[in-house]
């Protein structure tokens, strides 16, 4: 069976040559352990940060060791008291076709309620990232205007829909006309801006939101953030969820200083990771599940097939090749 | 009697030639009005922003009209029902030796409790700016490390003392050794950094705060903010009170992008103006007054004498010529 290791710490955009495939015997679970067969693998932009050898909110990946990421796997053997053969579990697991586990950090998923892959997306950390970032930091109020970048991505598309559920006007920024159409038609965004065909992003935001932006949910950073800040209202809130445009930078990126805008307009900018809200996860999963069941939330997935394609699926995130959540279906 | 008008909108550092003195008759109060004799005039860095012709949280000053600022004045004539001759009042008033008012927005000050000028400082908007910015945005917890820039200034020196009262370790950044001595000896700061004699501000902060910074109260912006951000802890909070180093810039200043730090470390940066907390002012004044009475808060003033010296006192703020609150004593 195959395992994918981190071979090199990427410089700039990751390459498939930064990963190494190895072959080994299928492992045997010890007493009390389970044997898991990998079904769906999540690839996410934040993983780029873990490929650097620097202190961050999670430990960096180790060289020559398997990458770990959110995975849905099937229990194929079990002597674990809580998990039985045929169960589907999710949690952080290695990029291996099969792996063993003592079950710690894994939870059972309901294979009837939603498609398995949704546990990596809307009912997984992706949905929770959208939910807590928007509601706890963005604090959107009815009638306010919410701008989302990376709006056609996994997190952004959920953020926009939750903001609509809260009674806000929602504007999304994405990189193709097809994505913009999807934002408006599938996800009920009020307006969309294709940054790739827009000369002046700040002016385009102003046109879409003549009364300014109250909440900006940022997945992108850099000049997209600058353009949003030029349109931010007094008492505005910026949710710094990600900065995908900067993750592959090799030099310290520079840009306009934002502190005078923060002071002049009493603006808050706040970064977070979803695990800050771990204690509230059950509440979030419950609410997202209800909205999903009631047809109030929709989601989009880009499903890549085949274990061998995991590294390329990850790399494609940085070119925006995904619509919605990018997952790899292994079997 | 003399009046000071804004003659030109300054480019870069304000000059005395940006102000104009005019002479006129002493005004006569109408029925129900009061005649006020200006005693103390507050000059503050934020006023630089009002000299630009751009939208901000307060209206810009108008050309060829008197500057208005916080003032303590004596009632010398009154037919107002609430204010009597001999009362001392404070509020936003014009740079005039005498002015008339209907009393709106003015409040009586207790001339026995503290020196008159303290109503422009520790018991005025200055003290409230320190109090609400630190407590509402910075949320310092016992045992945390608080860094303050502009620490020897009016706001910074109060911020540091309140942080000490909350059980924090407090480090101040200021621009002369004399100020650093004052921070430690008069205001009980744990450590001080003279930015003017320090080659590597970030390294100096690291040396003073090896466990990192939990709360950074920023009055300065620019590279001082950058150095603080390099030392900020996970879940750190940055209080963006001011950015005096940028107020005289004529070009859009640039610097390292901060969004990746915000995301990686779940950091909050939040700007504010004190009037956001207007409803809580009585609470703040009461608490500051009690601490002052109990000897738990000290303050420093730089008193410049003479109405003619108001513009120069304002300009001197940008060279850090003040220790603590800069006020002009008129009579």
């Amino acid at each position: 069976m195959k395992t994918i290791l981190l071979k090199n710490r990427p410089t700039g955009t990751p390459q498939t040559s930064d990963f190494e495939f190895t072959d080994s015997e299928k492992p045997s679970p010890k007493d009390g352990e389970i044997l898991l067969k990998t079904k769906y693998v999540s690839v996410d932009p934040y993983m780029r940060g873990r490929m650097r050898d620097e202190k961050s909110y999670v430990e960096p990946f180790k060289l020559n060791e398997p990458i770990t990421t959110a995975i849905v796997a099937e229990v194929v053997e079990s002597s674990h008291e809580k998990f039985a053969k045929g169960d589907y579990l999710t949690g952080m697991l290695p990029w291996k076709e099969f792996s063993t586990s003592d079950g710690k950090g894994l939870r059972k998923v309901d294979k009837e309620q939603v498609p398995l892959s949704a546990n990596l997306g809307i009912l997984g950390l992706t949905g929770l990232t959208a939910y807590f970032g928007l509601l706890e930091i963005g604090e959107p109020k009815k009638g306010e205007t919410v701008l989302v970048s990376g709006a056609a991505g996994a997190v952004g598309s959920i953020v926009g829909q939750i903001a609509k559920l809260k009674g806000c006007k929602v504007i999304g920024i994405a990189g193709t006309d097809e994505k913009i159409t999807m934002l408006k038609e599938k996800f009920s965004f009020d307006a969309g801006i294709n940054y790739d065909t827009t000369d002046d992003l700040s002016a385009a935001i102003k046109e879409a939101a003549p009364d300014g932006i109250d909440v900006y949910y940022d997945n992108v950073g850099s000049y997209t953030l600058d353009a949003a800040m030029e349109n931010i209202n007094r008492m505005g809130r910026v949710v710094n969820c990600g900065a995908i445009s900067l993750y592959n930078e090799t030099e310290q990126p520079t840009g306009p200083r934002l502190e005078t805008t923060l002071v002049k307009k009493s603006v808050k900018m706040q970064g977070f990771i979803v695990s800050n809200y771990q204690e509230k996860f059950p509440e979030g999963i419950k609410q997202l599940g209800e909205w999903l069941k009631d047809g109030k939330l929709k989601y989009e997935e880009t499903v890549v097939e085949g274990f061998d394609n995991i590294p390329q699926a990850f790399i494609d995130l940085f070119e925006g090749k995904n619509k919605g959540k990018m997952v790899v279906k292994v079997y």
Side-chain angles (χ1 to χ4, degrees), chain A:
Chain A
M1 63 135 217
K2 291 180 209 163
T3 296
I4 306 174
L5 312 175
L6 181 65
K7 194 173 155 193
N8 309 303
R9 301 202 178 277
T11 309
T13 307
Q15 311 291 325
T16 52
S17 57
D18 294 324
F19 302 90
E20 185 173 24
F21 285 75
T22 61
D23 232 320
S24 61
E25 289 295 300
K26 193 157 77 173
S28 299
K30 287 182 228 153
D31 196 39
E33 286 193 339
I34 48 181
L35 178 65
L36 291 163
K37 186 174 169 183
T38 298
K39 304 296 282 187
Y40 285 94
V41 174
S42 180
V43 291
D44 302 277
Y46 82 87
M47 295 166 52
R48 179 63 182 86
R50 294 192 64 187
M51 293 177 182
R52 293 179 200 272
D53 188 20
E54 61 183 31
K55 206 173 138 185
S56 183
Y57 50 84
V58 280
E59 284 298 295
F61 292 127
K62 293 207 174 80
L63 279 182
N64 303 314
E65 293 200 11
I67 308 269
T68 53
T69 183
I71 277 175
V72 172
E74 181 185 356
V75 179
V76 290
E77 281 179 40
S78 178
S79 59
H80 191 280
E81 54 178 0
K82 278 170 58 192
F83 301 124
K85 190 176 165 180
D87 282 350
Y88 285 87
L89 309 183
T90 189
M92 297 302 282
L93 287 165
W95 282 2
K96 294 180 169 194
E97 288 178 288
F98 291 88
S99 59
T100 58
S101 167
D102 61 5
K104 220 180 276 177
L106 300 180
R107 66 180 172 84
K108 223 183 282 192
V109 301
D110 181 347
K111 58 193 166 195
E112 313 302 330
Q113 195 196 357
V114 290
L116 281 179
S117 58
N119 295 291
L120 300 178
I122 195 157
L123 292 186
L125 294 180
T126 304
L128 293 168
T129 299
Y131 184 87
F132 290 110
L134 179 65
L135 299 183
E136 298 279 331
I137 298 174
E139 300 176 280
K141 289 168 205 72
K142 196 176 166 177
E144 288 191 328
T145 299
V146 176
L147 177 70
V148 189
S149 63
V155 171
S157 56
I158 304 172
V159 167
Q161 293 178 83
I162 299 175
K164 285 300 295 177
L165 288 169
K166 295 291 173 185
C168 298
K169 173 175 170 175
V170 179
I171 299 159
I173 302 174
T176 67
D177 286 343
E178 191 192 352
K179 286 178 177 177
I180 299 297
T181 303
M182 179 182 76
L183 292 183
K184 292 194 274 193
E185 295 187 353
K186 180 164 184 174
F187 297 127
S188 312
F189 280 55
D190 297 285
I193 299 168
N194 180 345
Y195 66 80
D196 205 40
T197 56
T198 300
D199 283 338
D200 184 338
L201 189 55
S202 175
I205 295 169
K206 196 182 175 68
E207 198 185 323
D211 295 333
I213 301 299
D214 300 298
V215 178
Y216 173 49
Y217 194 108
D218 190 23
N219 291 302
V220 171
S222 190
Y223 77 90
T224 311
L225 173 60
D226 303 338
M229 289 299 276
E230 287 172 16
N231 288 279
I232 198 85
N233 283 337
R234 196 177 123 68
M235 303 299 274
R237 292 133 267 154
V238 177
V239 185
N240 295 99
C241 177
I244 195 171
S245 68
L246 300 176
Y247 291 169
N248 293 327
E249 294 286 333
T250 49
E251 304 282 321
Q252 164 70 55
T254 58
R257 291 190 173 277
L258 302 176
E259 54 265 38
T260 43
T261 304
L262 298 185
V263 173
K264 272 190 199 171
K265 294 192 170 173
S266 295
V267 168
K268 174 176 82 169
M269 293 178 72
Q270 188 169 353
F272 76 106
I273 51 165
V274 65
S275 59
N276 298 349
Y277 303 99
Q278 197 134 25
E279 284 170 20
K280 295 181 170 181
F281 278 6
E283 167 206 322
I285 294 277
K286 182 161 172 280
Q287 178 63 78
L288 290 165
E290 280 171 18
W291 281 333
L292 195 61
K293 204 182 64 187
D294 295 346
K296 289 179 176 166
L297 279 186
K298 298 186 173 69
Y299 66 94
E300 183 77 22
E301 279 180 345
T302 298
V303 181
V304 170
E305 305 226 352
F307 188 84
D308 292 357
N309 293 319
I310 296 173
Q312 188 62 50
F314 169 67
I315 293 164
D316 285 348
L317 289 170
F318 298 95
E319 306 242 314
K321 293 201 179 159
N322 57 309
K323 283 192 294 183
K325 181 73 185 96
M326 180 82 103
V327 293
V328 181
K329 185 177 182 183
V330 173
Y331 281 90

